Amino acid sequence: MPKLLNLLLAVEHGMKKPVWDCTMCGQCVLHSTGMTCPMTCPKTLRNGPCGGVREDGHCEVKPEMRCIWVKAYDRKVSLPLPTVWKEHYNDLRPPVDMQLKGTSSWVNLVTKRDQQTPAGWAKRQEETHSH
Amino acid sequence: MSKLRDLLTQTKDVVYTAEFPVIDGGGMDQVKKNVERLAPWFAAVNATDNTAAHAHASNVSVAIAMKQHGLEPIMQIVCRDKNRLAIQADMAGANLHGIENIALLTGDDVTAGDEPETRRVFDLDGPQAINVASILNAGTYLSGRKLNPAPNFFICAVENPFAPPHDYRIERAMKKHRAGAQMLQLQIGYHPDRLEKFCAGVAATVPELALIPSVVLVKSSKPLNFMNDKVPGISVPQDVIDRVAQSSDQAEAAYQLALEQCQHALALPGVRGLHITDFRHDETLERLMHDLGRTPNQYT
């Protein structure tokens, strides 16, 4: 089993690194962010752009780089992505679980490990969604 | 008791807020002087958290000092310098001292400051930090561990309607509101059309979310150029800079610009007040407040 996990990890990293500069956060949200990885934001913001986006749509920290959230929004609007993915664009994404760093998000998706959040967070999400 | 919350939820009063100057010197005497200058005009004032990525006396300490001197703080917590443990500790500390207004911000990057070599944290982002404040309000830390007594935070946040992607900024404001924000201070901006669109969009969906646009008082075109060139997220159109730069009395032209911005913003839907950044221009601040129909000590 560890061999299979290592293989999956290698395949996932091999595919995602060249395309999305994947950092293997282990809790992939690409599908809901216009196929743009929020972990490539210098502030690793998972819930939308900061207030420092420049007039030309470029990054506060790296002026040569287009803000990943400007890119994500453009792609969310223009790419023919499944509606269910687009509907999740403005979801409140939980804080990154640093324990998952370096693990396979595919495995974590299947085991639902990537949906585990701290008890306080989970309770609030339950309450706000039931309203 | 949060006077800010009472004003916004139980009255129709216009709410003016400001920025407490950073404390690097002068000790408590300086705190007192700042309080005396700001208290007559403002319902609550921001105690900043390492503003513009420069280290200063801490958010919690300044908020406590302001409160002791009778000025209601809005204690900012920024995600740049603290992980989620430290952010929750700030919140629990505020609760311990009876500080109810807290504002959660993502924060400028470390590259904006005088120690750009420092590690940036961003363990939480702005909307997550807002949600964490809501979790504490329900009586537990993020982990689920109890916090007793539970805080009664009036949760504030910040949004920039002027920065791209413009169409998304309204949705992002909604996200912050869903996470628990009840008031949004808006960043300084010089595109009235963008502000109009943002306020109309927010007010149409969440009219209870109090919007507080910001206006900065300057004395010449120089700070306008500076903001346009050096402050990410602020763009000042050339015709606005020219209007001040080409005037025979730059200070007066800059003042009239700010007054117009105030009057314009106050007439927009969802707007419940203004955030005034004055760079310690006392006379101009008083003149502005008078021109906006204010008299001293209206909140007391």
Side-chain angles (χ1 to χ4, degrees):
Chain A
M1 193 63 181
K3 272 190 183 166
L4 177 65
L5 290 182
N6 284 339
L7 180 68
L8 274 170
L9 199 63
V11 173
E12 183 177 351
H13 191 58
M15 282 175 63
K16 284 183 174 176
K17 173 72 185 164
V19 184
W20 289 289
D21 201 13
C22 173
T23 58
M24 298 302 283
C25 69
Q27 45 221 293
C28 193
V29 291
L30 267 178
H31 64 284
S32 69
T33 53
M35 299 309 283
T36 307
C37 175
M39 301 310 278
T40 57
C41 161
K43 299 182 183 176
T44 61
L45 302 182
R46 285 167 85 91
N47 284 298
C50 71
V53 183
R54 293 166 193 270
E55 188 66 5
D56 62 359
H58 281 224
C59 171
E60 167 189 352
V61 184
K62 297 180 180 170
E64 70 284 0
M65 181 179 108
R66 198 155 169 246
C67 166
I68 76 104
W69 281 102
V70 171
K71 213 192 282 180
Y73 189 72
D74 283 356
R75 287 184 181 174
K76 188 252 250 205
V77 173
S78 63
L79 283 186
L81 298 171
T83 314
V84 60
W85 288 7
K86 294 193 182 194
E87 278 171 359
H88 286 291
Y89 181 79
N90 205 32
D91 280 1
L92 178 64
R93 294 177 194 88
V96 171
D97 184 340
M98 294 306 292
Q99 298 175 108
L100 296 183
K101 174 93 180 158
T103 64
S104 166
S105 74
W106 294 344
V107 173
N108 298 333
L109 178 73
V110 173
T111 61
K112 299 196 173 170
R113 173 63 183 82
D114 65 350
Q115 290 174 33
Q116 281 178 26
T117 52
W121 186 280
K123 185 164 167 265
R124 164 128 178 114
Q125 290 317 97
E126 236 171 64
E127 286 166 4
T128 47
H129 281 115
S130 61
H131 283 174
Chain B
M1 283 295 288
S2 163
K3 187 167 57 183
L4 182 64
R5 174 187 3 231
D6 289 352
L7 284 166
L8 288 172
T9 57
Q10 290 168 28
T11 76
K12 300 228 177 283
D13 287 2
V14 183
V15 167
Y16 287 89
T17 63
E19 209 90 341
F20 202 74
V22 296
I23 300 294
D24 290 321
M28 284 302 208
D29 289 346
Q30 188 56 49
V31 170
K32 195 162 173 269
K33 278 182 204 157
N34 294 339
V35 169
E36 281 165 2
R37 192 171 73 79
L38 297 169
W41 302 110
F42 298 105
V45 173
N46 294 359
T48 56
D49 184 8
N50 286 351
T51 188
H54 289 64
H56 301 288
S58 75
N59 54 344
V60 182
S61 69
V62 170
I64 293 169
M66 286 169 64
K67 195 164 178 286
Q68 281 170 347
H69 286 91
L71 180 60
E72 183 163 307
I74 302 169
M75 192 185 95
Q76 292 189 340
I77 303 175
V78 167
C79 296
R80 178 195 56 240
D81 309 327
K82 294 165 183 161
N83 69 8
R84 63 195 79 172
L85 295 179
I87 286 174
Q88 292 175 90
D90 275 8
M91 291 176 184
N95 184 40
L96 180 65
H97 287 275
I99 293 157
E100 291 195 338
N101 308 319
I102 57 170
L104 293 316
L105 291 72
T106 301
D108 307 301
D109 187 59
V110 300
T111 44
D114 59 354
E115 301 184 46
E117 68 279 11
T118 196
R119 179 195 289 264
R120 56 175 74 86
V121 180
F122 299 110
D123 186 36
L124 300 180
D125 59 30
Q128 291 166 350
I130 295 164
N131 205 50
V132 168
S134 296
I135 292 166
L136 266 72
N137 266 353
T140 75
Y141 291 97
L142 185 51
S143 68
R145 184 164 44 88
K146 279 200 163 54
L147 174 63
N148 187 23
N152 185 22
F153 290 136
F154 182 68
I155 304 172
C156 310
V158 172
E159 188 51 62
N160 186 351
F162 303 98
H166 304 115
D167 290 342
Y168 178 57
R169 293 288 170 181
I170 296 168
E171 288 172 58
R172 188 165 151 78
M174 310 290 182
K175 183 190 279 205
K176 289 180 177 177
H177 181 252
R178 279 203 309 275
Q182 293 165 278
M183 180 185 112
L184 283 185
Q185 287 174 331
L186 308 180
Q187 285 186 14
I188 297 161
Y190 292 87
H191 294 268
D193 53 322
R194 294 178 192 171
L195 184 64
E196 284 166 18
K197 204 174 158 197
F198 177 85
C199 294
V202 173
T205 324
V206 278
E208 68 277 23
L209 179 59
L211 301 176
I212 311 285
S214 294
V215 173
V216 57
L217 287 171
V218 296
K219 283 181 173 167
S220 70
S221 61
K222 210 173 141 192
L224 298 176
N225 272 313
F226 176 84
M227 285 189 280
N228 188 45
D229 295 341
K230 303 284 184 202
V231 184
I234 301 184
S235 110
V236 191
Q238 194 56 48
D239 61 322
V240 174
I241 296 175
D242 288 346
R243 176 181 153 183
V244 177
Q246 290 165 8
S247 164
S248 55
D249 184 348
Q250 285 208 17
E252 183 60 24
Y255 176 78
Q256 291 301 335
L257 171 67
L259 181 60
E260 278 171 29
Q261 284 182 299
C262 291
Q263 287 161 340
H264 170 260
L266 284 172
L268 297 177
V271 171
R272 286 297 315 273
L274 291 173
H275 182 75
I276 310 286
T277 309
D278 76 325
F279 294 128
R280 306 188 191 202
H281 297 164
D282 285 7
E283 287 163 25
T284 325
L285 175 65
E286 275 187 30
R287 180 179 173 200
L288 180 75
M289 298 313 276
H290 283 300
D291 285 352
L292 291 170
R294 306 294 296 181
T295 53
N297 305 314
Q298 273 180 275
Y299 295 118
T300 50

